[in-house]
Amino acid sequence: MNGETEQEAGQRSVSIRRALAIALALMAAIGLITLTVFVTNSNKQRDAALAAQRHSFEVIILVRTLQSTMAEAELSLGRYVVNLKTDFGRIYVDEWRRAGFAIDRLRQVTRDNPEQARLATRLRAYYDERGKLLSGAALRTRYDQKINGLAIFDQAGQAASVKEMDATLEQIITVENRLLAERISKANATLDQSSWAGTLLLAFAVVILIGAALLGFTMFQALAERRSTRKVADESLQRALELEEAVAVRTVELRLANEALRAEAAEREAAEAQLRQAQKMDAVGQLTGGIAHDFNNMLAVVIGGLELAKRRIAEDSHEADRHIANAMEGASRAAALTRRLLAFARSEPLLPEAISPRALIKGMTDLLDRTIGERITVQSRFADQDWPVWVDRHQLENALLNLAVNARDAMEGEGTLTVATAARTLAEGEIGTMRAGDYVAISVADTGCGMDQKVLDRVFEPFFTTKPVGKGTGLGLSQIFGFVRQSAGEIIIASQPGLGTTVTLLLPRFTGAQRVTSVNADMPGAFAPPRAEQHATILVVEDDPRVLNATAEALIELGHTPIPCPAPDQAQGLIDAHPDIRLIVTDVLMPGTTGPELIAALRPHYPHLGVLFVTGYAGEIDDTMAFAGHGVLRKPFTMVALSNAVQAALAKTSGPPPYEAAAAAE
C-alpha cells in the first residue's frame, strides 16, 4: 500500500516535475518568443533611427558640397569673364553641372520630407534662374561681347536670387540639423530599450537556466546578439562623429573660400568698372572720330564753295552759282549724315502709317532696277497673307534701298537679288527679347561674297564699313538697325563667305483700324508752290533766335506774313493779338514746354489753326501720337521743302478763322 503510495508519489513527483518542466518549457518558449519579438522590434527601431541619422548626414553633406561647387563655378566664371581663358570657362561649366546633379540628388533624398522637398524644389528654381544669368554672361563673353558679359555677370552677382538661394540652403541645413537631433535622441532611446531588453532576457535566462539548458543556450545566443548589436551601434556612433567632424572641417573650408571669393569679387568689380569706362570712352572716341571725319569733309565742301562763290559773285555769277550749289550739296550731305545718326540713336521722329509690304515692294521695283543695274536680276516672293505693318513709309523704303545697294556692291554688279515677305508667329523669347505675336518678315537676299563672323559682329557699328574710301560712310546698316528697333521690330543677318547674305527685317503685324496720313515735306515737288490767295499769317515758335530769323525770312520770301515767337509761353498772347493767324509753325524740343505740349494746350481754344512741327532732334519724344497726325518738317530744310510743308499744313486747316466767318455772315 505504502509502495503503491510511494510509486504514486514518485509518479506524481515525476508528473509534477514533468508538468513543471513542461510549464517551464512553455514559459520559456512564451518568454523567448515574447522577448525575441521585443528585441527584433527594438533592433528594427534602432536600425531605422541609424538610417535616419545617415540620411540627415547625407543631406547636410550634399548641401555643403553644393555650396562649395556653386562657389567654385561662379569663381571660375568670374575669372573667365575677366581673363577670357577658356580653361576657366570649362571649369565653370563642369562645376555648375555638378551643382545641378547635387540639387537633383538632394531633391531625391528629401522627397520623403514635404518641407525639405519644397525647399529643394525652390532651390532648383533659384539654380535655374541664376544659371540663365550666368550662362548669358558666359555666352556674351564667348562671342567677344565682353562688356555685355561683364554687365550680366555683375547683374547676376547683385541679383536677389543669390541671397534667396543662400537662405534656402541654410534653411535646409537648419531643418536637417533639427531632424538629426531628434533622430539621435530617438536612436539613443532605442539603444537603451535594446539594452533593457538584453538585461531582461539575461535575467529570464538565469531564472529558467535551472530548469532548461536549452533556454540557457538560447539566452547565450541572445547575449551574443546583444553584444553584436552594441558593437554595430558603437561603430555607427563613431562614423557619425567622424562625419560630423568632416562637416565641421568642410564648413571652415567653405567659409575661407567664401571670404576669398568676396575679396576677388571686390577686385573684379573695380576692374569691371575700369574696363567699362575704358570701353565707353573707346566707343565714344570711335563715334566722335567718324562724325568729325565726315563732317570735316562736308564742311570743307561748304566753306570752300562759299569762299569761292564770294570771290566770284562780282565777276562771274554763273561760276558763283556753281560754287553755291556745291556748298548746298555738302550741307545736304551733312543733313543726311545727321539724320542717319539720329535713326541709329532711335531719336528720329517717325510718321507711321498702315502699309502693305507687298504693295510697297511692288511700287519700288522700278526704282530698284534703276539703282542696282541691268546685270542684277531682281526677284520677288510674297507670302499668301499680306499682313500690314505700322511703320514710317519713307524710312522703310530707305532701308530696303540701302540693303539693295549693299547687295549690289557685294555682288560686284552681277547676280540675283531676292526680296521676299513672309508671315511668322513667334513665341515669347524665340528671337532675342521680342514679344510673342504675329510678325511680317521682309528679307533681302543676294548671291554676293558674304561676310565672316568678325564682320558680322560689327556690321551695326556706326562708320564701320568694308568698302573702299569714298564708297560708303558705314551708316547704312546702323540707320536700318535704329529704324527697326524704333518700330518695335528686329533685324537678323545670315551670311557666310562665298554663300551670299540674307538680311531679314521682322516688323510687328498691324491689326488696328487707325490711319495716319504722313506728309513727306522733304520731297521737292510734292506740292505746287503756294499761290497768291494761299498766303497766310503764320506764328513761328522757335527758341533759337538765328533759326527763328531764318525761318521768318524764308516765309517772307515765300509771300507769307510771319509772327515771330521766341518762347512757347508767349504763343497764346500773340494769337490773341493777331486773330488772322492761320498756321502755327513750332519747334519740337524747347526749354520748358515742347512743341507737342504747346499744341495740346492751344488746340481746344484754337481748333481752326493748322500745325506744322519743325525738328532736328526728337529726343525723348518717341510717341508718334504726340504729333497727332500733323506734318513734321525736318531740319535743315530748303525753301522748297518749307513751301511744300506750309502748303500741306494750310490745306489741312478746318476753315477760316472765327473773325472771317463772322464777317462773311454779316
Side-chain angles (χ1 to χ4, degrees):
M1 186 73 180
N2 290 336
E4 293 178 358
T5 303
E6 290 177 359
Q7 185 178 4
E8 291 176 357
Q11 291 178 350
R12 188 182 304 111
S13 177
V14 172
S15 298
I16 291 173
R17 287 195 298 270
R18 183 179 298 171
L20 289 175
I22 293 173
L24 186 60
L26 291 174
M27 291 176 59
I30 295 173
L32 182 60
I33 293 173
T34 303
L35 287 175
T36 302
V37 172
F38 183 74
V39 170
T40 301
N41 290 335
S42 298
N43 290 338
K44 289 182 178 178
Q45 294 176 4
R46 180 203 63 223
D47 294 338
L50 294 176
Q53 290 184 50
R54 290 194 295 273
H55 179 274
S56 296
F57 288 133
E58 181 180 4
V59 171
I60 294 174
I61 292 174
L62 276 174
V63 172
R64 294 304 185 189
T65 303
L66 177 60
Q67 289 178 324
S68 174
T69 304
M70 293 180 65
E72 182 65 23
E74 293 191 26
L75 179 61
S76 300
L77 178 59
R79 292 175 175 173
Y80 172 58
V81 174
V82 173
N83 301 329
L84 297 179
K85 292 184 178 180
T86 56
D87 292 339
F88 291 127
R90 286 192 293 269
I91 293 174
Y92 155 69
V93 173
D94 294 339
E95 292 298 321
W96 194 255
R97 186 179 292 114
R98 286 180 57 196
F101 292 155
I103 291 177
D104 292 338
R105 175 59 182 169
L106 182 62
R107 293 179 67 187
Q108 182 180 2
V109 300
T110 58
R111 64 178 181 269
D112 59 337
N113 189 321
E115 182 180 3
Q116 294 290 65
R118 176 178 57 80
L119 292 175
T121 302
R122 184 194 305 170
L123 181 63
R124 180 67 193 192
Y126 291 151
Y127 168 83
D128 293 338
E129 178 184 353
R130 186 157 183 79
K132 292 179 181 178
L133 285 174
L134 296 178
S135 297
L139 184 62
R140 296 297 192 283
T141 305
R142 171 67 180 82
Y143 288 100
D144 294 335
Q145 298 182 9
K146 185 176 180 181
I147 185 62
N148 292 332
L150 287 171
I152 295 175
F153 185 75
D154 181 65
Q155 178 184 358
Q158 300 176 5
S161 60
V162 177
K163 295 182 179 179
E164 294 172 349
M165 180 177 288
D166 292 339
T168 303
L169 289 170
E170 292 301 327
Q171 187 174 0
I172 292 175
I173 292 176
T174 301
V175 172
E176 203 60 42
N177 282 331
R178 186 183 72 244
L179 294 175
L180 179 60
E182 295 174 357
R183 290 164 178 171
I184 290 176
S185 177
K186 186 176 180 180
N188 292 334
T190 57
L191 287 175
D192 293 337
Q193 184 179 2
S194 179
S195 299
W196 180 81
T199 302
L200 181 61
L201 186 61
L202 179 60
F204 186 77
V206 171
V207 172
I208 67 173
L209 185 61
I210 300 173
L214 181 61
L215 295 178
F217 179 73
T218 304
M219 190 62 183
F220 175 77
Q221 288 183 329
L223 289 174
E225 184 178 354
R226 186 176 68 83
R227 287 194 298 270
S228 176
T229 301
R230 181 173 290 278
K231 181 179 179 181
V232 172
D234 291 340
E235 291 176 353
S236 299
L237 181 60
Q238 183 63 30
R239 286 196 297 270
L241 293 175
E242 292 176 354
L243 286 174
E244 185 176 358
E245 183 179 358
V247 169
V249 172
R250 190 58 176 170
T251 301
V252 173
E253 294 177 353
L254 287 174
R255 185 175 66 252
L256 295 177
N258 188 35
E259 292 175 356
L261 182 61
R262 289 181 178 177
E264 185 169 348
E267 296 177 359
R268 182 185 67 236
E269 184 176 357
E272 288 175 355
Q274 295 177 357
L275 179 61
R276 284 195 298 270
Q277 183 65 21
Q279 290 182 337
K280 185 187 301 181
M281 296 305 297
D282 181 66
V284 171
Q286 181 180 358
L287 181 60
T288 304
I291 296 173
H293 174 270
D294 281 17
F295 261 100
N296 282 337
N297 289 340
M298 298 166 190
L299 289 176
V301 176
V302 174
I303 294 173
L306 292 178
E307 287 185 346
L308 290 173
K310 184 178 179 181
R311 292 174 178 270
R312 300 288 190 272
I313 193 168
E315 301 174 2
D316 189 346
S317 60
H318 294 291
E319 187 70 13
D321 288 342
R322 185 174 65 84
H323 291 306
I324 291 174
N326 289 337
M328 287 293 292
E329 181 183 356
S332 298
R333 291 179 59 196
L337 173 64
T338 303
R339 185 165 302 165
R340 289 188 172 191
L341 290 172
L342 287 174
F344 171 73
R346 286 175 260 176
S347 297
E348 175 76 347
L350 299 180
L351 299 177
E353 57 182 308
I355 293 175
S356 164
R358 180 184 301 175
L360 183 137
I361 294 173
K362 287 183 178 180
M364 294 182 62
T365 302
D366 293 339
L367 176 61
L368 292 176
D369 289 338
R370 292 194 303 270
T371 302
I372 64 178
E374 297 179 354
R375 293 190 301 163
I376 294 179
T377 302
V378 179
Q379 298 179 351
S380 299
R381 293 199 305 267
F382 301 109
D384 296 335
Q385 306 94 331
D386 188 23
W387 289 347
V389 292
W390 184 255
V391 295
D392 188 314
R393 177 188 297 272
H394 178 68
Q395 293 287 349
L396 181 56
E397 289 175 344
N398 280 345
L400 295 178
L401 190 59
N402 273 332
L403 293 177
V405 171
N406 286 345
R408 178 198 64 190
D409 296 340
M411 293 184 290
E412 298 181 352
E414 184 173 359
T416 301
L417 176 70
T418 304
V419 183
T421 65
R424 296 188 60 178
T425 300
L426 301 181
E428 188 75 24
E430 180 178 346
I431 297 179
T433 59
M434 298 187 68
R435 297 180 178 179
D438 294 335
Y439 289 83
V440 176
I442 304 177
S443 61
V444 178
D446 63 61
T447 57
C449 59
M451 296 177 284
D452 58 22
Q453 190 60 44
K454 292 183 178 179
V455 176
L456 284 174
D457 291 339
R458 302 187 60 190
V459 290
F460 296 127
E461 294 181 9
F463 298 105
F464 173 76
T465 179
T466 57
K467 299 177 182 179
V469 177
K471 296 296 185 180
T473 63
L475 287 175
L477 286 176
S478 60
Q479 177 186 9
I480 298 172
F481 175 84
F483 156 67
V484 173
R485 286 294 181 88
Q486 195 172 1
S487 302
E490 185 62 88
I491 180 171
I492 303 172
I493 299 182
S495 182
Q496 291 184 13
L499 299 179
T501 301
T502 300
V503 182
T504 303
L505 310 182
L506 285 173
L507 299 172
R509 177 188 180 185
F510 176 68
T511 57
Q514 185 177 3
R515 294 294 184 269
V516 173
T517 302
S518 174
V519 178
N520 189 350
D522 294 336
M523 294 180 60
F527 299 95
R531 300 186 300 273
E533 63 270 23
Q534 294 175 317
H535 294 173
T537 301
I538 301 174
L539 178 67
V540 182
V541 185
E542 172 62 62
D543 61 299
D544 190 320
R546 293 168 297 180
V547 179
L548 179 62
N549 292 335
T551 305
E553 291 290 340
L555 290 173
I556 293 174
E557 186 70 20
L558 293 173
H560 300 290
T561 302
I563 306 297
C565 179
D569 56 1
Q570 302 177 16
Q572 186 168 358
L574 291 174
I575 294 175
D576 294 336
H578 299 83
D580 56 336
I581 291 176
R582 292 189 58 197
L583 178 65
I584 301 176
V585 177
T586 176
D587 192 13
V588 173
L589 290 182
M590 295 179 290
T593 304
T594 65
E597 292 173 349
L598 173 64
I599 297 304
L602 295 176
R603 199 64 176 169
H605 305 289
Y606 310 99
H608 65 283
L609 295 180
V611 176
L612 174 62
F613 290 107
V614 180
T615 181
Y617 173 65
E620 296 180 355
I621 304 178
D622 56 358
D623 185 1
T624 57
M625 297 307 297
F627 299 116
H630 300 298
V632 178
L633 179 62
R634 296 175 176 88
K635 299 176 184 177
F637 50 80
T638 63
M639 289 187 62
V640 174
L642 177 62
S643 175
N644 290 339
V646 170
Q647 175 80 4
L650 288 173
K652 295 172 66 175
T653 57
S654 60
Y659 79 94
E660 292 184 0
E666 293 178 358

